[in-house]
Amino acid sequence: MKNIKLISHPLIEHKLSFLRDKNTDPFQFRLLVDEITYLMLFEACSDFELKDTTIKTPICETKSKKLKTKVTICPILRAALGMLDGVFRLIPDASVGFLGFQRNEKTLQAEFYYSKLPKDVEKNIVIIIDPMFATGSTAISAVKHLKEQGVKDIKFISLIAAPQGIEKFSKIYPDVDVYLAAIDEKLNEKGYIVPGLGDAGDRIFNTL
Ligand code: URA
């Protein structure tokens, strides 16, 4: 699965241990999600194209580089809202499109309920964010929806994945790179990642 990029970095692994710990409180949990997202985004953007530009320093005019393409971030409601600040700190002028998928607890399939995308989103690089990549159903539906809107350049950033989810996704969308901080063992019968970190949305928004 060439599209699966496991970002291995001592700082990320260290922070993941605190993130997974059930005794980590919501305040710390939110900080860790933010920090890990920031570190992962740095890597996920490493192939972004640049264009030449000219700027004036206080001393003189000089040639410089800027990002060639605008970036749109698509958080999947609600847990990915906890990742958004980490993205804004690195790409402050990113536009944001919101996608809403709700998991049907019986079928474990993602059910679409909301989309609000920026104008001209199809011209941008779109980075979907969602902390947990479990069955792959939400990821597949989100990418399908964006492709239907004409988006061509899509990346996905998730903190923790289950093997079944990334395998299913990669068969359908081998062209979409998925950046992960960890690939865990399996899913349990309720569709939770094992060992995982529990329900990311509940831990971010203190709704356990
Ligand atoms: N969503 C979560 O928040 N946690 C999981 O383990 C799987 C899906």
Side-chain angles (χ1 to χ4, degrees):
M1 294 185 285
K2 271 197 190 151
N3 63 319
I4 303 300
K5 319 281 186 193
L6 183 61
I7 302 175
S8 164
H9 190 286
L11 276 179
I12 293 180
E13 287 205 36
H14 176 77
K15 287 177 190 294
L16 268 180
S17 298
F18 293 97
L19 191 74
R20 291 179 186 278
D21 191 327
K22 68 175 188 170
N23 294 318
T24 297
D25 67 31
F27 176 71
Q28 283 301 327
F29 191 89
R30 283 193 288 272
L31 278 182
L32 289 160
V33 168
D34 177 85
E35 288 171 345
I36 296 170
T37 304
Y38 180 90
L39 294 169
M40 292 180 71
L41 186 70
F42 190 77
E43 178 64 30
C45 297
S46 61
D47 64 349
F48 276 10
E49 284 184 57
L50 296 168
K51 64 178 179 193
D52 293 328
T53 185
T54 305
I55 54 157
K56 279 186 188 154
T57 74
I59 309 298
C60 67
E61 199 171 271
T62 185
K63 290 202 164 79
S64 193
K65 307 258 184 207
K66 283 187 179 166
L67 289 181
K68 190 172 175 183
T69 311
K70 287 193 176 155
V71 178
T72 294
I73 305 299
C74 279
I76 295 184
L77 300 173
R78 69 178 165 150
L81 294 179
M83 300 169 75
L84 201 49
D85 274 352
V87 176
F88 273 147
R89 276 191 291 132
L90 267 186
I91 316 179
D93 60 349
S95 58
V96 181
F98 294 93
L99 297 177
F101 292 92
Q102 195 155 319
R103 187 153 61 155
N104 181 315
E105 296 302 336
K106 283 195 187 123
T107 63
L108 301 183
Q109 294 303 301
E111 289 174 359
F112 174 84
Y113 70 87
Y114 186 70
S115 169
K116 179 85 181 156
L117 298 172
K119 201 161 76 67
D120 296 337
V121 67
E122 71 282 356
K123 296 184 184 145
N124 298 354
I125 298 173
V126 175
I127 304 178
I128 305 171
I129 51 176
D130 195 10
M132 305 303 273
F133 201 111
T135 62
S137 168
T138 300
I140 290 164
S141 303
V143 170
K144 180 170 179 280
H145 178 73
L146 288 171
K147 287 192 180 241
E148 282 167 0
Q149 313 308 309
V151 180
K152 285 166 212 73
D153 199 344
I154 306 175
K155 288 172 185 273
F156 205 111
I157 300 180
S158 211
L159 307 186
I160 303 179
Q164 350 8 4
I166 50 175
E167 263 170 47
K168 191 170 154 197
F169 180 89
S170 300
K171 277 190 191 133
I172 303 174
Y173 295 119
D175 58 316
V176 176
D177 285 343
V178 180
Y179 296 85
L180 299 167
I183 301 172
D184 277 6
E185 231 173 87
K186 59 178 182 184
L187 289 175
N188 69 13
E189 64 292 345
K190 289 187 178 157
Y192 280 90
I193 299 174
V194 180
L197 49 72
D199 189 301
D202 280 344
R203 293 195 66 184
I204 290 168
F205 297 111
N206 199 12
T207 49
L208 278 168

